[in-house]
Amino acid sequence: MISNQILQNTLDGLKGISRTDFCVTDMEGKVLATTFAESVCGEEEVVAFANSPADSQVVRNNLYFKIYDDHQLEYILILDSQADDAYTLGKLVAFQIQGLLTAYKERFNKDNFIKNLLLDNLLLVDIQNRAKKLHIEMDVRRVVYILETSQEKDYGSLENIKNLLGGKSGDFVTAVDEKSVIIVKELAPSDDYAQLEKTAYTILSTLGVEKDGKTHIAYGTIVRDLKEVSRSYKEARMALDVGKIFFGEKEVIAYSSLGIGRLIYQLPIPLCKMFIREIFDGKSPDDFDEETLTTINKFFENSLNVSETSRQLYIHRNTLVYRLDKLQKSTGLDLRVFEDAITFKIALMVVKYMKYMETLDY
């Protein structure tokens, strides 16, 4: 079924061309779209025409047409019978709307196929057969993006993204839940991960949702076969979740850039708690005061460089050394030693992960 907005846009365009008013109703006479200034039909008249054997009929100076979808009556079209070549014009408009019905039905079938493909609901033989029937190529490079935004999704926003991508027949824009928009993008042979990153930022800026703190877009790895699209989707989904935990300030998150965060995300919570308990003897890294945490984070940002860290913190080098010595006494870990620094960094990430998982439980 075509949306009422699409029907209205179609009638508005046809009126602009023909300078004739049109009205489309359902079989019970409910007006779905119209360019008439006032009502031109009654429900009883429409129902009577719908139940009659005629495909067209003049009723009260208006010409009625039936519009079918696969031999099933779908709409009633009404126009002024006094218009120039009214019958021919009505047949053309009915044909146009029938074409829209066919196109949108095919689109729905493709959308349904892509959703089931993403969710791994299809056998390999089903993927091949349905892809062939829907004229979707199997051996094409593709990647899956997931856009999550606080803005409410609607049909228009999905269309905007589709238009942004150039309206390519090989690109699919859909949604498998209420929180995100899924983009399955067909790639050119020359497209690399730098191009994927650029495309992600283009989507955000064009939709006007970048840097709002609530919008993120993640993407998986490039796949070369249609049956592998679900893998890229799962990777993008993981990138979105992991990105929220460890890279909350980033708007664009690539699965390939998750690093150790990807491993921590897959750890069971009991194991995480045991790790923190063993490393810090029952304490937690987030129990440290703000000054200590700032020092630790800045030290990591500067690749364990004491001189650069003290410069950026506007403190004397000896003051930084004192803080690091104090931290070593309380934790047994010397951040100037690479192995200890790695242990501490992982611990901080584990704590972040545990806190995130706690928020999901509420």
Side-chain angles (χ1 to χ4, degrees):
M1 177 83 65
I2 307 172
S3 71
N4 291 353
Q5 186 59 53
I6 295 296
L7 279 174
Q8 187 63 56
N9 292 342
T10 301
L11 295 190
D12 289 340
L14 291 169
K15 179 181 178 179
I17 295 171
S18 65
R19 289 176 294 191
T20 300
D21 284 306
F22 304 97
C23 178
V24 173
T25 76
D26 60 16
M27 284 83 73
E28 297 176 352
K30 179 183 177 183
V31 175
L32 305 177
T34 183
T35 62
F36 283 95
E38 54 188 32
S39 176
V40 293
C41 66
E43 293 182 1
E44 293 182 2
E45 296 168 350
V46 172
V47 171
F49 172 66
N51 292 326
S52 73
D55 285 334
S56 63
Q57 185 176 334
V58 175
V59 180
R60 295 188 182 179
N61 294 323
N62 291 316
L63 192 52
Y64 284 42
F65 288 89
K66 290 178 179 176
I67 299 176
Y68 296 90
D69 180 24
D70 275 350
H71 307 292
Q72 171 111 17
L73 183 59
E74 194 71 42
Y75 299 124
I76 304 297
L77 169 68
I78 304 167
L79 71 154
D80 186 355
S81 64
Q82 305 302 313
D84 294 339
D85 296 323
Y87 180 80
T88 301
L89 181 59
K91 293 292 284 184
L92 287 172
V93 173
F95 180 77
Q96 170 74 13
I97 295 177
Q98 280 179 328
L100 282 175
L101 282 168
T102 301
Y104 275 81
K105 180 188 292 183
E106 179 179 340
R107 177 167 185 167
F108 174 79
N109 287 339
K110 284 187 176 181
D111 186 70
N112 184 265
F113 170 66
I114 292 298
K115 285 180 179 178
N116 282 296
L117 180 67
L118 293 172
L119 297 175
D120 257 343
N121 290 337
L122 299 171
L123 298 174
L124 177 58
V125 65
D126 293 329
I127 294 174
Q128 294 171 335
N129 291 339
R130 292 185 64 179
K132 183 177 181 180
K133 185 176 180 180
L134 295 170
H135 308 291
I136 299 175
E137 293 187 52
M138 289 286 297
D139 302 324
V140 174
R141 299 172 78 241
R142 294 181 174 90
V143 71
V144 176
Y145 289 91
I146 300 180
L147 172 67
E148 187 172 276
T149 175
S150 58
Q151 294 184 355
E152 184 178 349
K153 296 195 309 298
D154 55 22
Y155 178 82
S157 64
L158 298 181
E159 283 298 296
N160 288 339
I161 296 174
K162 181 75 174 177
N163 293 334
L164 171 63
L165 297 174
K168 295 180 181 177
S169 60
D171 293 337
F172 303 98
V173 180
T174 186
V176 295
D177 57 41
E178 293 300 318
K179 297 181 180 179
S180 49
V181 175
I182 316 298
I183 304 163
V184 181
K185 178 153 179 48
E186 184 176 308
L187 304 176
S190 59
D191 286 344
D192 56 13
Y193 285 99
Q195 181 59 44
L196 300 190
E197 189 88 356
K198 183 178 178 182
T199 299
Y201 278 107
T202 300
I203 292 172
L204 291 177
S205 62
T206 304
L207 294 178
V209 293
E210 77 277 19
K211 297 181 180 178
D212 64 358
K214 300 178 181 178
T215 300
H216 304 278
I217 185 168
Y219 58 92
T221 56
I222 297 173
V223 297
R224 290 169 171 78
D225 194 296
L226 188 63
K227 67 178 182 291
E228 296 179 336
V229 164
S230 63
R231 173 167 62 83
S232 187
Y233 168 69
K234 292 172 185 174
E235 291 170 346
R237 177 61 65 187
M238 178 182 286
L240 194 63
D241 290 339
V242 175
K244 289 177 188 175
I245 303 171
F246 304 117
F247 315 105
E249 72 286 352
K250 294 182 66 175
E251 301 168 284
V252 176
I253 310 107
Y255 175 80
S256 58
S257 67
L258 296 180
I260 198 170
R262 187 173 70 197
L263 297 177
I264 293 174
Y265 179 74
Q266 299 178 77
L267 293 175
I269 293 298
L271 184 61
C272 292
K273 290 181 178 179
M274 184 175 69
F275 172 75
I276 296 298
R277 186 168 56 250
E278 291 176 352
I279 295 297
F280 296 104
D281 193 24
K283 298 179 181 178
S284 175
D286 59 347
D287 289 337
F288 299 122
D289 58 67
E290 189 65 31
E291 180 184 82
T292 302
L293 287 174
T294 300
T295 301
I296 294 168
N297 291 327
K298 187 62 68 174
F299 194 53
F300 285 137
E301 286 177 20
N302 289 289
S303 303
L304 314 185
N305 187 306
V306 174
S307 298
E308 183 60 24
T309 301
S310 59
R311 187 186 70 81
Q312 292 189 21
L313 289 174
Y314 302 103
I315 60 176
H316 193 276
R317 177 188 174 94
N318 290 342
T319 303
L320 177 59
V321 171
Y322 169 75
R323 291 181 184 177
L324 294 175
D325 287 341
K326 184 180 177 182
L327 185 65
Q328 182 182 3
K329 288 180 181 179
S330 65
T331 65
L333 297 173
D334 185 354
L335 298 193
R336 290 159 291 190
V337 177
F338 182 74
E339 185 175 343
D340 285 357
I342 287 293
T343 301
F344 203 99
K345 179 66 174 177
I346 291 174
L348 290 176
M349 295 179 71
V350 168
V351 169
K352 270 191 175 183
Y353 166 61
M354 289 166 59
K355 283 186 172 182
Y356 176 79
M357 296 306 293
E358 285 176 4
T359 63
L360 299 182
D361 293 335
Y362 291 115

